Amino acid sequence: MIKEIVILSGKGGTGKTSLTACFAAMAENKVLCDADVDAADLHLLSAPRIKETTEFKGGNKAVIQSDKCTQCGICLEVCQFNAVDEDFQVNALDCEGCGVCVDLCPEQAIKFPSVVCGQWFVSESRFGPMVHARLGIAQENSGKLVTQVRQEARNVCRESQHDLIITDGPPGIGCPVIASIGQATAVLAITEPTVSGIHDLDRVLALTDHFNVPAMICINKFDLNLEQTAAIEQLAEQKKISVLGKIPFDPIFIDAMVAGQTVVEYEQHSKASLAVQQIWQNAMADRAMENTRLM
Amino acid sequence: MIISIASGKGGTGKTFITTNLARSLESNVAVYDCDVEAPNSHLFLRPDVLGKTSFVTTVPAIDLEKCTFCKKCMEICRFNAIAILKENALVFPELCHSCGGCFRICEDRAINEVDRILGDIETGKAGSIDLVHGRLGVGQVMAPRLIEQVKSRMKEDVVNIIDAPPGTSCPVITSIKNSDFVVLVTEPTPFGLHDLKLAVEGVRALNLPHGIIVNRAGKGDDQVSAYARKENIDILMEIPFDRSIAETYSNGEIYVDIHPEMKKVFKALFDKIQEQIHHRRCN
């Protein structure tokens, strides 16, 4: 039975990747998965050696062949994304890849080639197997790439007979986030005691609720604002979600990152390390992880 | 004028810069919060809400009385939002990109356009600052469409400041394209540097003038400044690593409201940006 814990936050920069890397350093028999394909950072701490690289074809883009085009204007009219300009050229950044112009062009003058949007990698990191990706700049379909990366992480997990996937999720609550939580065992939302941290945590919890994925919470930099921390604990209690632990505001996270290490490796007995260790133990024991949906 | 505040990495201080810059300019300024998945500017600007509209798109509804189950709509749909079975038709509106293909291809007039709410757009006024912010509905995926709607409310003769989402993919590109200048906010850490490089690739792909703000300077390492020097990108401003700034932020306070003497720093930032835009136009 493979379980997957996905680290999310809503607001960016609350410590998803630092926490994920700490978990990676402590857990046994796990596969690491970086689902933040848009701005992946986990590899900076886990030092993966890439074993396999695969091109990711995210979708198709319309290309008008000017020699066949009679400039009848049908593509201009049907495109809902204003991607066709007056000179009958398709702006790739605006093209949604719906193919409606391709199908409705009476001259069959529009090609629809698939586009390489990025790459994904199967690697051996210093914490064990890791699946990660790089979405090309300004590319779409990050949700599809996230799905691909998570699928591959499951394959690697099965093959290596491991039983846990630790997934570093993307910020926000949109397409890539939705793709990163489908069929996950549980989500761990890491937040901070700021008005924006709480606002975005609330959005993440609405999302996990919407898709029926159990959630857990931990609070980073908790002593920055004790009132806001209390507000988070209150929110958690209302929603009957466990607060697994609280990490103090501590620049040691930055020092560890600069050293290319996780906090639990960098200074094992620091308060921040102890808090992270506690959070990890609590997460693995939490009822959210008992969720036995089929992976 | 359009100034976008962006970053590769999240949590580097986009909203901090946006709100403090807007507050320091005092007049003729409007903020567009395009981080529609996690909009935060309104938490700091605390506007009087003047209007709220739903952002609606159209999705298909299939009339089973008229449908002949020919499957043409299913075939034209690249997003798997329609499944035609032997004597039934299913629509998955959450997968629909509203491309209109199914409406056009159906010969039986069996497809009706129905509204689907993807989110909402709120407009308000915080002192002299106009604020427009989009809020993507929970479970919705069409962030770029909503961002376009937020941006469509921009005005010609004011300073338009866009608070962009993190990352480098479609929502970011939709937010920052057509900007006169992009401010990339980062922090002097390995994560900050890595994601800054991605963001720079993004603004270069769009051929947009840009500069860097280093937040939490003094902690971390000096690799961001080394990179900026090597790539010949201006560091417009450095904000020191200071717990008291983080504390102010945590309460939803705008830093220059508490320290009005700091407004001149943000005004100087604005002057630098204006100079760079002017310089670029002259060349």
Side-chain angles (χ1 to χ4, degrees):
Chain A
M1 180 75 195
I2 295 172
K3 293 196 172 190
E4 182 186 18
I5 181 171
V6 182
I7 322 300
L8 293 182
S9 67
K11 176 169 162 32
T14 59
K16 285 183 297 298
T17 304
S18 291
L19 187 69
T20 305
C22 285
F23 288 176
M26 291 183 287
E28 286 170 14
N29 300 324
K30 81 286 173 178
V31 172
L32 281 185
C33 173
D34 193 348
D36 187 2
V37 299
D38 197 0
D41 285 332
L42 187 58
H43 65 278
L44 297 172
L45 294 180
S46 68
R49 191 173 46 79
I50 295 172
K51 295 196 306 191
E52 245 177 76
T53 301
T54 311
E55 278 189 347
F56 168 67
K57 288 188 176 154
N60 304 59
K61 297 270 181 197
V63 180
I64 299 173
Q65 304 173 82
S66 51
D67 54 329
K68 291 190 184 165
C69 174
T70 60
Q71 308 207 339
C72 69
I74 287 178
C75 53
L76 250 170
E77 186 204 321
V78 301
C79 179
Q80 298 294 304
F81 308 100
N82 300 318
V84 185
D85 67 21
E86 298 290 324
D87 302 324
F88 293 93
Q89 299 281 324
V90 177
N91 182 344
L93 280 178
D94 291 328
C95 178
E96 186 82 4
C98 70
V100 173
C101 61
V102 179
D103 289 6
L104 297 183
C105 174
E107 309 299 328
Q108 299 184 330
I110 307 180
K111 289 200 296 186
F112 202 42
S114 63
V115 182
V116 174
C117 296
Q119 296 172 312
W120 51 273
F121 317 100
V122 177
S123 300
E124 190 59 35
S125 79
R126 63 195 189 89
F127 303 123
M130 172 169 173
V131 183
H132 48 128
R134 178 163 181 185
L135 187 71
I137 297 298
Q139 292 295 348
E140 299 181 36
N141 277 310
S142 53
K144 236 168 138 181
L145 181 54
V146 168
T147 303
Q148 182 78 54
V149 166
R150 287 183 64 223
Q151 184 58 50
E152 194 55 34
R154 276 175 231 183
N155 293 342
V156 170
C157 198
R158 265 188 220 107
E159 281 161 24
S160 54
Q161 300 192 331
H162 288 348
D163 48 20
L164 180 67
I165 301 169
I166 304 175
T167 299
D168 189 8
I173 62 159
C175 157
V177 179
I178 292 170
S180 70
I181 64 171
Q183 291 184 301
T185 311
V187 161
L188 171 53
I190 177 166
T191 186
E192 60 181 31
T194 64
V195 288
S196 34
I198 299 177
H199 176 268
D200 298 345
L201 169 70
D202 201 36
R203 305 257 289 159
V204 167
L205 296 178
L207 189 78
T208 53
D209 199 41
H210 183 87
F211 289 103
N212 205 15
V213 181
M216 303 173 277
I217 295 173
C218 71
I219 308 172
N220 195 6
K221 307 177 189 169
F222 83 92
D223 49 349
L224 190 64
N225 189 323
L226 294 174
E227 267 174 47
Q228 302 282 0
T229 289
I232 295 169
E233 289 174 313
Q234 212 173 8
L235 177 73
E237 198 174 314
Q238 271 169 22
K239 294 185 182 277
K240 299 195 166 39
I241 296 171
S242 316
V243 176
L244 303 178
K246 298 185 277 191
I247 307 165
F249 181 89
D250 192 343
I252 193 178
F253 281 96
I254 299 173
D255 300 333
M257 194 198 292
V258 170
Q261 287 184 358
T262 66
V263 170
V264 290
E265 295 166 298
Y266 187 75
E267 227 177 271
Q268 204 187 343
H269 300 293
S270 61
K271 280 186 180 162
S273 281
L274 295 173
V276 169
Q277 288 164 31
Q278 191 65 53
I279 289 166
W280 174 243
Q281 283 165 16
N282 290 346
M284 288 302 104
D286 196 84
R287 64 182 190 284
M289 287 303 288
E290 285 165 18
N291 164 22
T292 50
R293 62 177 71 207
L294 207 62
M295 293 264 318
Chain B
M1 178 191 299
I2 306 172
I3 302 170
S4 283
I5 315 296
S7 75
K9 179 169 162 23
T12 55
K14 288 179 294 300
T15 301
F16 177 84
I17 300 294
T18 300
T19 52
N20 279 284
L21 178 60
R23 194 68 110 206
S24 302
L25 294 183
E26 285 162 359
S27 64
N28 282 335
V29 58
V31 170
Y32 301 84
D33 195 341
C34 289
D35 189 357
V36 299
E37 295 180 40
N40 291 150
S41 280
H42 66 287
L43 300 171
F44 298 85
L45 291 169
R46 300 177 202 160
D48 295 322
V49 178
L50 300 176
K52 188 169 172 175
T53 47
S54 292
F55 170 46
V56 178
T57 187
T58 51
V59 297
I62 299 177
D63 184 343
L64 291 178
E65 300 275 308
K66 292 183 184 165
C67 181
T68 57
F69 309 103
C70 71
K71 298 191 176 174
K72 282 189 179 149
C73 57
M74 181 168 106
E75 282 154 14
I76 200 169
C77 181
R78 261 76 177 188
F79 307 108
N80 306 314
I82 298 178
I84 302 294
L85 311 169
K86 214 171 179 182
E87 281 182 351
N88 200 2
L90 300 174
V91 177
F92 305 102
E94 66 280 6
L95 299 178
C96 175
H97 286 223
S98 303
C99 69
C102 55
F103 303 119
R104 289 179 188 277
I105 205 80
C106 178
E107 287 162 5
D108 307 312
R109 293 174 178 271
I111 302 184
N112 298 311
E113 296 190 345
V114 294
D115 285 350
R116 174 172 166 81
I117 296 174
L118 295 185
D120 54 58
I121 297 173
E122 216 169 77
T123 52
K125 209 149 177 79
S128 59
I129 303 167
D130 286 318
L131 172 68
V132 180
H133 83 268
R135 170 180 288 262
L136 188 69
V138 169
Q140 301 294 344
V141 297
M142 302 291 281
R145 296 287 94 76
L146 179 54
I147 293 166
E148 280 163 5
Q149 289 299 313
V150 172
K151 288 181 71 178
S152 73
R153 301 180 184 227
M154 281 195 292
K155 294 178 200 145
E156 281 284 326
D157 46 358
V158 302
V159 178
N160 295 292
I161 305 176
I162 291 176
D163 192 357
T168 60
S169 65
C170 33
V172 183
I173 300 302
T174 308
S175 301
I176 68 172
K177 73 179 175 193
N178 309 327
S179 295
D180 296 298
F181 194 87
V182 182
V183 174
L184 300 172
V185 190
T186 189
E187 55 185 35
T189 64
F191 289 3
L193 174 65
H194 178 265
D195 297 349
L196 171 67
K197 288 179 181 172
L198 298 176
V200 167
E201 276 187 61
V203 292
R204 283 184 176 159
L206 295 173
N207 194 25
L208 297 173
H210 53 278
I212 295 172
I213 289 181
V214 181
N215 195 2
R216 303 185 190 112
K219 199 72 196 144
D221 57 26
D222 54 8
Q223 295 300 305
V224 165
S225 0
Y227 166 78
R229 253 197 321 276
K230 187 172 137 264
E231 296 291 326
N232 203 17
I233 306 171
D234 265 358
I235 294 185
L236 306 163
M237 186 180 190
E238 291 195 353
I239 301 161
F241 183 93
D242 180 348
R243 184 175 166 132
S244 74
I245 296 176
E247 281 170 6
T248 308
Y249 178 90
S250 74
N251 281 318
E253 303 287 352
I254 297 175
Y255 194 73
V256 296
D257 285 348
I258 297 177
H259 302 276
E261 73 281 5
M262 294 302 287
K263 282 189 180 176
K264 62 175 187 293
V265 176
F266 286 93
K267 280 183 189 152
L269 167 69
F270 178 68
D271 291 342
K272 262 191 203 171
I273 293 170
Q274 240 182 341
E275 212 173 277
Q276 292 218 6
I277 294 172
H278 180 72
H279 184 71
R280 167 123 165 173
R281 281 191 184 143
C282 292
N283 290 327

